[in-house]
Amino acid sequence: MKPFIEIIGLGGGDINQLPLGIYRKLTSEQKVCYVRTLDHPVIQALQKESVDFHSFDDIYEKHDHFDAVYLEIVRTLIDTASEKGNVVYAVPGHPMLAEQTVQLLIQHQNVEVEIVGGQSFLDDLFSALKIDPIEGFQFVDATSFNRRHLQYEQHLVFCQVYDAFIASEVKLTLLEDLPADYPIFLVEAVGSKEESIKELPLVELDQQMQLSNLTSVYIPPIDKEKLHHQFYRLKEVIAALRAPGGCPWDQKQTHETLKKYLIEEAYEVIEAIDNEDDEAVAEELGDVLLQIMLHSQIGEEAGFFTIDDVIYNITEKMIRRHPHVFGKLEVKDETEVIQNWEAIKKEEKREQQQTILSELNKGLPATLLAEEIQQKAAKVGFDWSEPDPIWAKVYEELEELKNAREHESFDAQEKEFGDILFAMINLGRYYKINPEIALMRTNQKFIHRFQSVEQKVKESEQAWESFTLDELDQFWEEAKRLENE
């Protein structure tokens, strides 16, 4: 026969709230009653009536994490029940509300458990705060929660805020989403004669001296206008822009019309990174995200895909292509990571692959597409291993352009110029230089130097036409010199 543990709820307030049946059971019980903690007004009252309690308060001092505390309490109860046949275990409130030890006992296969009553403090809490949980209510264990799970548009209550450390953890998490002066409520011993409710700004939560096992923190629902940093709000805004009565420009956009904006915004991110401007990087990344959201909204309206599909696909791909992080595969270095990535990618597209260049991303800018073409050709050995032949190819193409200028049409000149660019990109690939980034840096350098020349012209109070090219070149060299100092 399995050992038996009878679990009794002590209610959320004082002994006046304790049901008569449970009171009689506890006062007539001949054996010791085990309790998670003695810090409860019912226990203090029953001790005066000579009820014998054995607490696990000392176990809290032994461990740094609550999980270890709860596991030791459960082990002790099961061992004691196995030795004595059965035990009585009393917990604050109702056994099925925010009691991890009870959940662990219920899940344990080697013990039989019976739940005996106990009044939850939630009814008294709703009455004291004058809130209706049907409007939306979330009950959170302050000792173990995750920010992403918090629903700020609902009534939000944290239980077990019993010391300054826990209060500080709650405060710091909430400050990531709420202003420091947001009004919250500290609720103490609700439903008892010691009940108190205190309003205070969020930032002062961990500065309270009267925190105990009977302390809860209530966060009133937050206006969604104050939650613009959360993803669901962005989704709502984009949907509203595209909906009837929204923005005429956004309503007319299609995947095709938005293509150029996606490219432009991506380049603006790169520019912000090159300028080492973190604030601009954040802003420009937001513009890229806007494009992703618009494309996803268009896809949802057409019934093809949603932003959830976008997120699901990339999450699945990242997990699948990183078995060294999410699986058991071991890698030595970055090279092995890339090799595994390519092998997994190849396997994923095995049925689709027809030729070496069939998987080209033809939507790339021409410089990046040229680099990708060369990389794929190089994988099968179609590549130079030394730079000298690449340099020779560059000079050869330059000579062919010169000849085309003298004897051939514009189309031929354009073709030869393209060959020069292709050869230069191949040279950059050998030296591990990204052609797009390199050209963007040169563009920025030219802009900066030209603006310096322009400033000199303005300071002279003369027209551009009054300067010779040699004089302008002197301004350019001065800007170059200052840039290098």
Side-chain angles (χ1 to χ4, degrees):
M1 186 175 179
K2 292 181 180 180
F4 178 75
I5 298 178
E6 186 178 28
I7 304 177
I8 295 175
L10 298 174
D14 54 31
I15 198 167
N16 293 321
Q17 291 183 298
L18 196 66
L20 181 59
I22 292 179
Y23 172 79
R24 287 175 175 170
K25 177 181 285 291
L26 290 170
T27 53
S28 63
E29 191 68 50
Q30 298 300 312
K31 48 186 175 289
V32 174
C33 178
Y34 290 82
V35 291
R36 183 167 61 78
T37 177
L38 292 173
D39 188 12
H40 193 284
V42 169
I43 293 177
Q44 295 162 15
L46 290 173
Q47 282 177 325
K48 294 178 181 179
E49 299 187 30
S50 301
V51 178
D52 192 8
F53 292 100
H54 175 84
S55 83
F56 295 112
D57 286 318
D58 58 322
I59 295 179
Y60 283 87
E61 305 297 327
K62 292 171 55 178
H63 301 285
D64 295 328
H65 302 286
F66 290 108
D67 288 345
V69 172
Y70 300 147
L71 286 173
E72 183 169 345
I73 291 174
V74 169
R75 281 197 302 268
T76 303
L77 286 169
I78 292 174
D79 290 344
T80 304
S82 298
E83 179 184 338
K84 298 183 178 181
N86 62 77
V87 298
V88 175
Y89 176 48
V91 296
H94 191 283
M96 297 304 294
L97 182 67
E99 281 296 335
Q100 184 62 28
T101 56
V102 175
Q103 293 301 316
L104 291 172
L105 286 169
I106 291 173
Q107 295 165 14
H108 207 288
Q109 297 179 351
N110 298 327
V111 66
E112 186 178 345
V113 173
E114 181 181 352
I115 307 296
V116 183
Q119 180 181 346
S120 164
F121 81 105
L122 287 181
D123 289 343
D124 292 321
L125 180 72
F126 297 146
S127 296
L129 293 172
K130 297 179 175 58
I131 62 176
D132 186 347
I134 201 171
E135 298 169 355
F137 169 71
Q138 189 176 21
F139 191 57
V140 181
D141 183 350
T143 67
S144 178
F145 71 97
N146 193 300
R147 175 194 170 201
R148 70 176 184 275
H149 295 150
L150 300 179
Q151 302 294 321
Y152 288 111
E153 291 187 71
Q154 298 182 354
H155 298 284
L156 181 57
V157 174
F158 288 88
C159 66
Q160 301 202 76
V161 189
Y162 52 74
D163 62 24
F165 176 79
I166 299 297
S168 179
E169 290 293 307
V170 172
K171 180 188 82 170
L172 292 175
T173 301
L174 293 177
L175 283 175
E176 295 187 51
D177 295 299
L178 307 179
D181 61 351
Y182 192 80
I184 65 172
F185 295 85
L186 203 66
V187 185
E188 184 71 28
V190 66
S192 73
K193 62 182 179 180
E194 304 298 328
E195 175 182 301
S196 67
I197 300 177
K198 178 182 179 182
E199 181 177 350
L200 65 153
L202 171 59
V203 72
E204 295 180 10
L205 174 57
D206 55 351
Q207 301 170 21
Q208 307 308 304
M209 300 304 295
Q210 295 180 341
L211 298 174
S212 72
N213 285 329
L214 301 179
T215 302
S216 298
V217 175
Y218 168 60
I219 316 297
I222 291 95
D223 244 353
K224 64 181 180 181
E225 281 70 24
K226 296 180 180 178
L227 298 172
H228 286 177
H229 62 290
Q230 298 207 345
F231 181 74
Y232 84 94
R233 282 294 294 138
L234 174 60
K235 189 175 186 302
E236 287 181 350
V237 168
I238 301 304
L241 291 173
R242 295 271 305 173
C247 172
W249 185 89
D250 288 286
Q251 292 168 346
K252 290 183 178 180
Q253 300 312 305
T254 66
H255 291 309
E256 291 296 322
T257 63
L258 289 172
K259 285 195 302 185
K260 62 178 181 179
Y261 300 111
L262 182 57
I263 294 172
E264 288 174 5
E265 300 300 353
Y267 279 106
E268 288 181 11
V269 172
I270 295 173
E271 180 183 357
I273 292 172
D274 289 341
N275 293 336
E276 298 182 353
D277 187 340
D278 290 338
E279 187 174 338
V281 171
E283 180 180 349
E284 300 303 339
L285 285 174
D287 290 342
V288 172
L289 179 58
L290 168 63
Q291 297 304 311
I292 295 171
M293 297 302 293
L294 282 169
H295 281 286
S296 298
Q297 184 63 31
I298 291 170
E300 181 173 346
E301 292 166 3
F304 293 133
F305 68 91
T306 70
I307 186 62
D308 294 335
D309 297 314
V310 174
I311 295 171
Y312 176 84
N313 287 333
I314 190 60
T315 302
E316 285 284 305
K317 181 187 292 185
M318 290 301 98
I319 293 173
R320 189 170 60 249
R321 294 190 183 178
H322 291 82
H324 55 288
V325 177
F326 302 103
K328 296 181 179 180
L329 183 70
E330 294 184 4
V331 294
K332 295 178 181 178
D333 51 31
E334 179 186 355
T335 301
E336 286 194 8
V337 171
I338 296 174
Q339 290 173 348
N340 288 330
W341 176 283
E342 292 299 330
I344 295 169
K345 182 179 178 181
K346 185 176 181 180
E347 180 62 25
E348 289 172 353
K349 299 188 176 182
R350 179 167 50 87
E351 297 180 358
Q352 304 172 13
Q353 188 170 357
Q354 298 174 353
T355 69
I356 293 170
L357 300 181
S358 63
E359 295 181 13
L360 290 172
N361 182 357
K362 296 180 182 178
L364 288 172
T367 54
L368 297 182
L369 179 57
E371 184 182 44
E372 185 174 322
I373 291 170
Q374 293 168 7
Q375 287 172 343
K376 288 186 178 296
K379 287 182 180 179
V380 294
F382 196 80
D383 196 19
W384 282 297
S385 59
E386 299 293 334
D388 290 346
I390 309 177
W391 279 110
K393 187 64 176 174
V394 170
Y395 293 133
E396 176 189 325
E397 299 298 350
L398 284 169
E399 189 65 28
E400 289 183 5
L401 176 63
K402 182 179 178 182
N403 292 335
R405 285 282 297 159
E406 295 175 356
H407 305 293
E408 299 185 44
S409 66
F410 175 80
D411 285 345
Q413 296 172 33
E414 189 176 61
K415 170 183 171 297
E416 298 301 340
F417 188 75
D419 290 346
I420 293 172
L421 293 177
F422 195 84
M424 290 299 298
I425 288 169
N426 202 21
L427 186 65
R429 187 174 60 83
Y430 178 85
Y431 291 114
K432 301 188 184 319
I433 297 171
N434 182 291
E436 197 71 14
I437 293 176
L439 184 57
M440 287 182 65
R441 293 184 67 176
T442 296
N443 290 341
Q444 289 301 314
K445 181 170 61 178
F446 183 92
I447 291 170
H448 184 265
R449 291 178 184 176
F450 186 82
Q451 287 174 338
S452 295
V453 173
E454 186 178 25
Q455 183 62 32
K456 287 288 186 182
V457 172
K458 287 182 179 179
E459 290 173 357
S460 71
E461 297 183 352
Q462 299 180 48
W464 279 88
E465 295 79 6
S466 64
F467 290 93
T468 65
L469 185 58
D470 286 341
E471 289 172 327
L472 292 175
D473 192 52
Q474 289 177 6
F475 291 157
W476 180 273
E477 290 300 321
E478 183 179 352
K480 183 178 179 181
R481 179 180 57 79
L482 292 173
E483 187 179 274
N484 294 327
E485 287 182 354

